[in-house]
Amino acid sequence: MKNALGKLANTLKGDLFVDETLRTLYATDASAYRELPLAVAMPIDKEDIRLLIQFANEHNTSLIPRTAGTSLAGQVVGNGIVVDVSKHFNQVLEVNPEGNWVRLHPGVIRDDLNRHLKPFGMFYGPETSTANRAMVGGMVGNNSCGSNSVVYGSAREHLLEVTGFLSDGSEVTFGAVSQEGFTAKAAEDSLEGQIYREINSLLEPAEVREEIAKEFPKPSIPRRNTGYAVDLLAINQPFESTGEPFNFCKLIAGSEGTLMFITELKLNTLPLPPKNKALVCIHCNDINESLLANLVGLKYEPHASELIDDIILQCTKENIEQQKNRFFVQGDPGAILVVELAAENDEMLDQKCEAMIAELKKDGLGYHYPILKGGDIGKVWNLRKAGLGLLANIPGDAKAQPVIEDTAVDVQDLPAYIREFNETLAQYNLNCVHYAHAGSGELHLRPVLNMKTEEGHRMFRVVAEEISRLVKKYRGSLSGEHGDGRLRGEFIREQIGEKNYQLIRAVKKSWDPKGIFNPGKITDTAKMDEFLRYEPNQPDPEIKTYFNWDKSKGILRAAELCNGSGDCRKSEGSGGTMCPSFMATRNEKDTTRARANMLREVLTHSDKLNKFDSVQIKEVMDLCLSCKGCKSECPSNVDMARLKAEFEQQYYDANGMPLGKRMMGEYDLSMKMASLVPWAYNAVFKNALTGKLGKALMGVHEDRSMPLMPKRTMSAWFKKNRSKLKSQQSDKKLYLFFDEFTNYLDAEIGITAIQLLDELGFNVMQLDHDQSGRALISKGMVRKAKKVANKNVNILHGKISSETPFVGIEPSTILTLRDEYPDLCDVELKQKATEVADACLTIEEFLSREFRRGNIDASRFTTESKQLKVHGHCHQKALSSVITLKDTLSIPANFEVEVIQSGCCGMAGSFGYEKEHYETSMKVGELVLFPAVRTATEETIISAPGTSCRHQIKDGTGKVALHPVEVLYQALNR
């Protein structure tokens, strides 16, 4: 097989990977399963896919189609060749506004599709909680729905045509056919013709259709994905003369890649939804009350009715991003039901909201009913969508498991079903999380189990068996939108009866006689408790670390926080920072998820004394920019920047550290020496020949410009000029951080900051502190950074406070003290470090705070109108807020400030200097930031607080970006 795979790799235009790293990364998805694939293919075109099908037939292996890998039932986990179409099959091919349809590749992200359709006044309705990274091919494969399915239904209802390959390699297109067309298709001498003949013979007998109607889930349940959708084919032509025209798309939707390999989709589109919308966030005492409130809400024709339980609400308190989105939550409700209503105008909308609230109050349901509109709507839905990822934040090894998370019943049966459901779990002393689609009769229900124990594995099966019986009692669907996969396939026989189970097995056989398309999903699956990600009694190694990982109960569990939900796979169009390397490369290997998966694998199974001595971890960590985006945007709070720093220190302990990286890490020392002879440093890098040699020595890319040193440091200027400052006696005091970047390279900006603060009446003071340690941490020199942190904590503690804060000009340095020090310093200094962290502010936080307090007068600044575009530093976005940045620059009355919706600039400290990372760095910049800066008018002021960001903007666009303190100082009326 190895030789055959080698020949295949040489034949394909795309990539074929057989190395252990890629196979390991594709061994999991967002489910509880793990199985190493034979290989990973990334086809470029249809011919590549045809060759893969031919190879699978000739070598008795299988193909597993994959897009974003966010499936929850193990659909894309298996031992065949995983075929990832997300990288190359990702184009919108045709939009037809007159016909209300769009034709596209399966690897188009759902939210990206709707951004593409918006100018045409159209959108694609189904919206999963993963819509900012879930791809349409996967949505069709699983027949996904989403929160708005009460209005827009599932992917199946919007699938018009499918183009792709059958298991013999023949290319086909399936769509609606008349009865005459059906007959003609069945007469063809081809696999396609055979499929039409077979479905006709299978469904033509009336007793077969009667058995389907008797055993399949209730037709009143809009979300039902149990087995193949033969129940829908059976009520269409030619089997029912009054039915809709026959269309195999109904069967293909929800077939999980087991019947054909899809290459193109034709989807129905809808007019843009009404703009007049509101959310009524009904605070309830418990789950049962919220479900009764749901039945009231459904009378008012909502666009969504979604449940958030108390467990998820508690998890939002610990997530940086979701803390901002829970502003509407009052107290600690047992559950919140979020009902979205729409109307033609605001008056009608308000009447609708008030009428619903009045009925709820009359029925004694709920106790607080905030109505939210405008931009607040998106914040609430973002909080709801974060539910899956947030559940990973439950401390310890017991987690909310995806085992019975997708059951659906008739919405009128939902309160009774959930009561019985919880009574069943109570028999086993299990707690359960409840969230999601109350309006459609489906809640995502996750029991809390420890899958690292034998008891956890036993209960994984017990719970599945118990709830399968309960679902059958209510004639519900074991899967509402997540699909059967390998998780629920074992129970389909029980759900639809033996005769119907043999029927869908026959369907699979007729389409895929050799079983090359995603075998072991839906039919003939392995046992649901085989090939699980966690093994009972698996190793739980004690790992000595430099950072303190007690909060997550060890570094291994910090990596295990990642549950595979794939939030790190969103595109730049969705906004946010995470994950810049993936946005630039579109490679799974360059996601936060991949890095967490590899850490989990190696730290669990490595038999080395130093478990971090791993080339595999090094490989997946290589393009991590340490942007901190994942710390806030990942619902599971995976802090990959810190994990990378810990890994690199331990890897260097085993393998030594390259000179160039050491020089970058020892930035403070290098600049301190250079500052003694700045003219010599500048002469080296101004000269083409010596500059090239200097860059080569440091490992810097030849096309990257090098910053030049000022004639004096910021600290030297301050010592010389402090006595001339006019506000030395002011009671408004602060300690300014003379950080290593501002002090040595951006001294003029530091001097400007001092002058600005002095003009505004603040007494600027200096402490004899050390460097921040930011460069040390980012290059993996954590041992030395720890000493720096200890020293600074002892110097700063007791001197700085919330009223006399430590204020930083460079975001990355001051936020290092706030974010890293409490878990970096010696454990006996942790409390002091926490108190120090609480007294550290970026200069934008400080200025905006003082403006709100009335300590800064806007009249001190010009009233001239100016346009500004500002790019926030990654760490500022993750650990602080760009709101304070915008507020600071808006102090002058007529400054109009636009925050560029960019993620990371791509420089990321020294990352963008390094020759091996320069290309990726510039690709990241080109995603959003560079185009936004280039299109700004000449009069527009470009501002960025980060020194790396300003450097990247200059190298990428030729434009000079100003630090906010420079902008404000120039705007002063003096």
Side-chain angles (χ1 to χ4, degrees):
M1 182 62 82
K2 184 177 180 180
N3 290 336
L5 287 168
K7 290 179 182 178
L8 176 63
N10 292 330
T11 306
L12 297 175
K13 300 185 191 75
D15 296 313
L16 184 74
F17 299 94
V18 295
D19 60 284
E20 190 175 352
T21 297
L22 263 291
R23 291 171 60 224
T24 298
L25 296 181
Y26 281 83
T28 57
D29 51 10
S31 73
Y33 294 95
R34 177 193 179 277
E35 187 173 9
L36 277 176
L38 176 66
V40 177
M42 296 180 186
I44 281 182
D45 57 17
K46 289 183 178 181
E47 178 60 17
D48 273 357
I49 291 174
R50 190 190 64 76
L51 288 170
L52 285 165
I53 292 171
Q54 179 181 326
F55 181 88
N57 276 306
E58 291 175 356
H59 293 86
N60 195 31
T61 188
S62 61
L63 305 179
I64 304 166
R66 175 173 168 139
T67 50
T70 57
S71 296
L72 288 161
Q75 282 93 330
V76 296
V77 175
N79 60 13
I81 300 174
V82 173
V83 185
D84 184 349
V85 298
S86 66
K87 187 170 183 177
H88 300 298
F89 284 76
N90 57 9
Q91 299 299 307
V92 176
L93 302 171
E94 184 181 1
V95 176
N96 188 317
E98 294 76 25
N100 296 314
W101 56 260
V102 59
R103 189 168 59 86
L104 70 163
H105 283 151
V108 174
I109 294 172
R110 186 270 185 188
D111 281 359
D112 288 353
L113 170 62
N114 278 348
R115 276 187 284 274
H116 188 95
L117 293 174
K118 189 174 182 179
F120 298 95
M122 307 189 306
F123 85 117
Y124 176 62
E127 179 186 21
T128 64
S129 64
T130 56
N132 65 355
R133 69 269 191 196
M135 296 175 175
V136 177
M139 292 179 67
V140 167
N142 291 339
N143 192 33
S144 300
C145 303
S147 59
N148 58 16
S149 65
V150 290
V151 176
Y152 301 121
S154 68
R156 178 178 287 128
E157 283 80 71
H158 300 273
L159 184 61
L160 302 176
E161 289 182 5
V162 170
T163 297
F165 292 97
L166 295 177
S167 60
D168 65 348
S170 58
E171 188 172 14
V172 292
T173 296
F174 290 111
V177 294
S178 64
Q179 293 202 44
E180 294 77 12
F182 184 98
T183 302
K185 286 283 187 183
E188 292 180 6
D189 183 19
S190 63
L191 179 56
E192 181 184 5
Q194 181 182 323
I195 289 168
Y196 275 93
R197 290 192 295 276
E198 186 72 16
I199 200 68
N200 186 56
S201 66
L202 287 172
L203 295 182
E204 187 176 34
E207 61 271 20
V208 170
R209 301 198 301 278
E210 289 169 5
E211 183 71 10
I212 291 171
K214 174 187 171 187
E215 294 290 347
F216 264 67
K218 289 181 181 179
S220 60
I221 302 170
R223 293 164 168 263
R224 55 189 199 277
N225 276 346
T226 300
Y228 295 124
V230 290
D231 56 328
L232 294 178
L233 294 184
I235 60 174
N236 289 165
Q237 301 173 14
F239 312 110
E240 291 288 346
S241 59
T242 58
E244 295 179 6
F246 185 90
N247 191 337
F248 262 132
C249 288
K250 295 181 186 297
L251 187 74
I252 294 165
S255 65
E256 304 177 6
T258 63
L259 300 181
M260 66 177 294
F261 200 110
I262 297 172
T263 58
E264 290 180 18
L265 302 155
K266 182 178 177 181
L267 306 176
N268 170 59
T269 59
L270 302 165
L272 289 171
K275 294 182 179 179
N276 297 298
K277 295 189 291 186
L279 301 184
V280 182
C281 301
I282 307 163
H283 288 48
C284 300
N285 293 294
D286 54 39
I287 295 294
N288 187 59
E289 184 178 304
S290 71
L291 297 179
L292 295 174
N294 176 58
L295 296 179
V296 173
L298 289 175
K299 298 178 184 179
Y300 295 84
E301 299 178 337
H303 277 224
S305 184
E306 297 283 295
L307 180 70
I308 311 171
D309 79 354
D310 60 327
I311 297 177
I312 289 179
L313 290 170
Q314 290 298 320
C315 288
T316 63
K317 296 179 180 180
E318 302 300 320
N319 180 272
I320 295 172
E321 189 74 10
Q322 299 311 324
Q323 286 170 1
K324 305 168 190 174
N325 292 335
R326 69 184 320 273
F327 63 94
F328 66 97
V329 180
Q330 185 182 89
D332 287 308
I336 292 178
L337 185 75
V338 182
V339 180
E340 181 176 287
L341 301 176
E344 293 181 10
N345 56 57
D346 279 339
E347 183 180 355
M348 293 175 65
L349 180 61
D350 290 341
Q351 290 174 355
K352 205 172 188 180
C353 292
E354 293 303 332
M356 186 181 74
I357 292 170
E359 184 170 353
L360 289 165
K361 288 180 176 179
K362 179 177 70 70
D363 293 346
L365 300 172
Y367 63 85
H368 181 54
Y369 316 88
I371 300 173
L372 305 177
K373 298 180 180 180
D376 287 341
I377 290 177
K379 296 174 185 176
V380 176
W381 286 139
N382 284 339
L383 183 141
R384 211 305 281 149
K385 290 178 180 180
L388 168 60
L390 288 169
L391 294 176
N393 292 333
I394 299 172
D397 289 332
K399 302 290 184 184
Q401 297 296 336
V403 55
I404 45 168
E405 87 298 339
D406 199 35
T407 61
V409 296
D410 187 299
V411 69
Q412 298 298 324
D413 294 334
L414 189 60
Y417 168 74
I418 293 299
R419 275 197 302 273
E420 281 201 65
F421 178 96
N422 285 325
E423 287 168 3
T424 301
L425 263 60
Q427 296 174 19
Y428 299 98
N429 297 315
L430 292 176
N431 295 319
C432 186
V433 179
H434 308 68
Y435 69 103
H437 318 299
S440 302
E442 175 180 8
L443 294 184
H444 293 325
L445 306 160
R446 289 182 170 234
V448 178
L449 302 172
N450 183 353
M451 296 303 291
K452 293 182 180 179
T453 66
E454 290 182 1
E455 178 62 11
H457 273 240
R458 186 182 75 83
M459 290 308 303
F460 191 75
R461 167 168 288 281
V462 167
V463 167
E465 291 173 344
E466 289 274 16
I467 300 309
S468 178
R469 287 190 287 271
L470 182 63
V471 168
K472 182 61 179 176
K473 173 183 174 180
Y474 282 88
R475 277 197 68 197
S477 179
L478 207 54
S479 169
E481 63 174 340
H482 295 164
D484 295 319
R486 57 197 302 163
L487 173 62
R488 285 172 274 271
E490 182 179 340
F491 303 103
I492 292 177
R493 181 183 271 105
E494 177 181 33
Q495 293 295 310
I496 64 175
E498 182 63 30
K499 291 180 181 178
N500 288 325
Y501 183 70
Q502 295 306 325
L503 172 69
I504 65 171
R505 288 187 74 223
V507 169
K508 165 69 174 175
K509 189 73 174 177
S510 68
W511 285 69
D512 185 18
K514 291 186 177 181
I516 69 163
F517 287 146
N518 209 9
K521 317 294 160 54
I522 302 179
T523 62
D524 299 309
T525 60
K527 291 183 178 180
M528 56 84 67
D529 49 359
E530 291 182 354
F531 294 102
L532 292 171
R533 181 182 299 202
Y534 294 109
E535 302 167 5
N537 305 317
Q538 71 175 43
D540 187 13
E542 289 288 330
I543 301 172
K544 187 177 180 181
T545 59
Y546 292 95
F547 279 103
N548 185 323
W549 299 94
D550 286 351
K551 185 176 180 181
S552 56
K553 299 188 177 181
I555 189 170
L556 175 58
R557 290 181 180 85
E560 289 174 348
L561 286 173
C562 175
N563 63 5
S565 61
D567 299 69
C568 46
R569 285 185 59 100
K570 66 179 185 289
S571 70
E572 66 276 9
S574 294
T577 301
M578 180 181 70
C579 176
S581 56
F582 172 76
M583 291 178 186
T585 70
R586 292 297 195 269
N587 289 325
E588 172 69 23
K589 180 170 71 73
D590 301 320
T591 63
T592 307
R593 174 170 73 179
R595 294 165 187 136
N597 278 339
M598 189 57 73
L599 276 168
R600 186 191 71 246
E601 289 277 344
V602 175
L603 295 184
T604 300
H605 300 294
S606 173
D607 56 5
K608 290 185 178 181
L609 187 62
N610 181 347
K611 293 178 179 293
F612 295 93
D613 182 12
S614 164
V615 174
Q616 286 181 288
I617 300 178
K618 183 175 184 293
E619 185 180 352
V620 297
M621 287 290 185
D622 181 54
L623 291 187
C624 173
L625 284 81
S626 300
C627 67
K628 290 280 182 178
C630 47
K631 176 153 187 173
S632 64
E633 295 174 29
C634 172
S636 305
N637 299 127
V638 175
D639 187 349
M640 193 50 64
R642 185 177 294 180
L643 286 164
K644 179 182 180 181
E646 181 74 57
F647 158 72
E648 287 190 324
Q649 176 65 82
Q650 305 234 22
Y651 183 83
Y652 295 145
D653 287 348
N655 298 279
M657 187 175 189
L659 176 62
K661 293 190 182 295
R662 184 175 293 279
M663 292 176 70
M664 292 289 190
E666 294 280 12
Y667 172 88
D668 182 66
L669 177 61
S670 301
M671 290 299 101
K672 191 175 293 184
M673 294 169 62
S675 69
L676 299 176
V677 283
W679 55 268
Y681 171 94
N682 291 341
V684 168
F685 288 108
K686 282 181 178 179
N687 180 278
L689 178 60
T690 56
K692 187 174 183 179
L693 291 173
K695 290 178 184 179
L697 177 66
M698 299 172 65
V700 174
H701 194 279
E702 61 181 2
D703 292 335
R704 176 64 73 187
S705 71
M706 292 295 288
L708 299 178
M709 295 200 71
K711 61 184 178 182
R712 62 196 167 184
T713 66
M714 170 188 172
S715 184
W717 182 93
F718 185 70
K719 288 175 183 175
K720 183 177 179 180
N721 293 279
R722 190 185 179 198
S723 60
K724 301 174 186 177
L725 299 178
K726 61 179 83 169
S727 299
Q728 290 182 72
Q729 306 306 316
S730 172
D731 291 333
K732 298 189 294 183
K733 299 178 180 180
L734 66 105
Y735 287 103
L736 196 62
F737 190 12
F738 288 66
D739 70 84
E740 57 269 31
F741 300 107
T742 310
N743 188 44
Y744 293 120
L745 287 184
D746 293 326
E748 294 305 315
I749 292 174
I751 293 166
T752 300
I754 295 168
Q755 292 172 326
L756 172 67
L757 291 164
D758 184 57
E759 287 286 342
L760 294 175
F762 293 99
N763 181 358
V764 178
M765 302 181 291
Q766 182 183 17
L767 287 166
D768 187 22
H769 58 73
D770 203 344
Q771 61 163 309
S772 71
R774 179 71 260 160
L776 292 169
I777 294 170
S778 69
K779 303 319 293 180
M781 301 175 71
V782 181
R783 186 187 299 106
K784 185 167 184 178
K786 190 179 189 75
K787 294 177 181 178
V788 171
N790 289 339
K791 180 179 178 181
N792 277 335
V793 167
N794 284 319
I795 292 170
L796 299 174
H797 188 261
K799 297 182 180 68
I800 63 174
S801 66
S802 61
E803 294 308 308
T804 310
F806 196 45
V807 177
I809 299 165
E810 165 58 35
S812 66
T813 57
I814 191 68
L815 293 173
T816 295
L817 275 69
R818 199 154 90 191
D819 178 52
E820 308 286 16
Y821 276 23
D823 292 319
L824 177 59
C825 66
D826 291 341
V827 66
E828 59 269 20
L829 291 176
K830 185 176 177 67
Q831 182 57 40
K832 286 185 177 181
T834 301
E835 292 170 14
V836 165
D838 290 342
C840 291
L841 298 175
T842 67
I843 198 162
E844 294 82 21
E845 290 172 332
F846 176 76
L847 291 172
S848 64
R849 184 187 82 172
E850 295 304 303
F851 179 67
R852 290 194 305 272
R853 289 179 171 182
N855 292 329
I856 297 175
D857 189 347
S859 66
R860 291 295 314 278
F861 297 90
T862 181
T863 56
E864 184 181 355
S865 295
K866 288 188 181 294
Q867 302 288 321
L868 293 88
K869 283 192 172 185
V870 59
H871 166 76
H873 189 284
C874 289
H875 291 192
Q876 200 167 23
K877 294 169 188 172
L879 307 170
S880 172
S881 172
V882 292
I883 294 174
T884 58
L885 176 57
K886 184 177 182 179
D887 289 348
T888 298
L889 288 169
S890 300
I891 292 174
N894 294 313
F895 277 22
E896 188 175 328
V897 183
E898 176 192 347
V899 177
I900 299 172
Q901 297 303 306
S902 50
C904 180
C905 72
M907 182 65 99
S910 64
F911 180 91
Y913 285 92
E914 295 167 338
K915 58 186 177 184
E916 67 269 29
H917 297 143
Y918 174 79
E919 184 180 345
T920 300
S921 168
M922 300 310 282
K923 280 183 179 179
V924 172
E926 289 290 356
L927 293 170
V928 176
L929 178 60
F930 293 171
V933 172
R934 291 191 193 107
T935 56
T937 64
E938 288 298 320
E939 296 75 25
T940 299
I941 298 170
I942 306 298
S943 180
T947 184
S948 295
C949 307
R950 294 191 299 274
H951 193 148
Q952 178 80 325
I953 289 169
K954 181 67 167 62
D955 280 2
T957 70
K959 293 192 177 184
V960 175
L962 302 177
H963 192 288
V965 298
E966 295 179 285
V967 176
L968 291 181
Y969 188 68
Q970 291 174 10
L972 274 173
N973 291 320
R974 296 193 299 278

